[in-house]
Amino acid sequence: MQKNTYPDTHDLMAVPPVMNDHQHAEDAGLTAVIGWVLQVGVVLSSVIIVLGMGLYFLHPAGRQQTTLMPHTLVQVFQGVLLLQPAAIIALGLIILIATPVVRVAISILAFALEHNRKFTVISTIVLLILLLSFLLGKGGA
């Protein structure tokens, strides 16, 4: 008789669990949401970066001065309010970097709603590692 569990490392012939239509619909819905988040994040960040580049090339006087990239979120948001091209480009890059992090956060929520404790814990650990690396990362020497 065949098992209805995923195989462990010793049982490569086990059959995956049988999923009902409701589970397939939930998986399809989750996949669609994650796909939508990734697409919106990439498109939004691309549009913002292109806008920043456009501002940079439209203001030749600004190019003659030394343009410093903002190094903190406060500098980015202040620069965006002042329409500084480097800050706008940095905002686009921040959104691009944040997109997969949001995907992991959505996965945590989805696994928790499915009562899948194992993948909820694993995804939470991944998210904590990502957030910790952002907080501790210094960039440069």
Side-chain angles (χ1 to χ4, degrees), residues 9-10 24 26 36-37 40 54 63 76 86 101 105 122 127 129 132:
T9 55
H10 302 293
H24 283 295
E26 285 179 0
W36 181 81
V37 166
V40 168
R63 286 195 311 244
V76 169
V101 177
I122 290 170
L127 181 64
I129 290 169
L132 189 62

Side-chain angles (χ1 to χ4, degrees), residues 11-128:
D11 188 9
L12 298 178
M13 298 304 290
V15 175
V18 177
M19 298 179 76
N20 61 33
D21 290 337
H22 179 69
Q23 289 170 319
H24 283 295
E26 285 179 0
D27 287 345
L30 174 62
T31 301
V33 168
I34 289 174
W36 181 81
V37 166
L38 293 174
Q39 288 176 354
V40 168
V42 169
V43 169
L44 180 63
S45 65
S46 298
V47 167
I48 292 172
I49 291 169
V50 168
L51 287 173
M53 290 171 58
L55 279 175
Y56 179 78
F57 289 115
L58 287 175
H59 294 94
R63 286 195 311 244
Q64 294 171 354
Q65 300 172 356
T66 303
T67 304
L68 297 176
M69 288 296 289
H71 294 286
T72 66
L73 288 176
V74 172
Q75 291 174 344
V76 169
F77 293 121
Q78 288 173 343
V80 168
L81 292 175
L82 297 172
L83 296 178
Q84 294 175 344
I88 293 171
I89 292 169
L91 177 64
L93 293 173
I94 289 169
I95 292 171
L96 185 64
I97 292 168
T99 299
V101 177
V102 171
R103 182 240 188 264
V104 173
I106 290 172
S107 295
I108 292 170
L109 180 63
F111 290 134
L113 291 174
E114 292 176 356
H115 304 288
N116 188 334
R117 176 180 264 177
K118 179 180 176 181
F119 285 108
T120 301
V121 170
I122 290 170
S123 297
T124 301
I125 291 169
V126 169
L127 181 64
L128 291 173

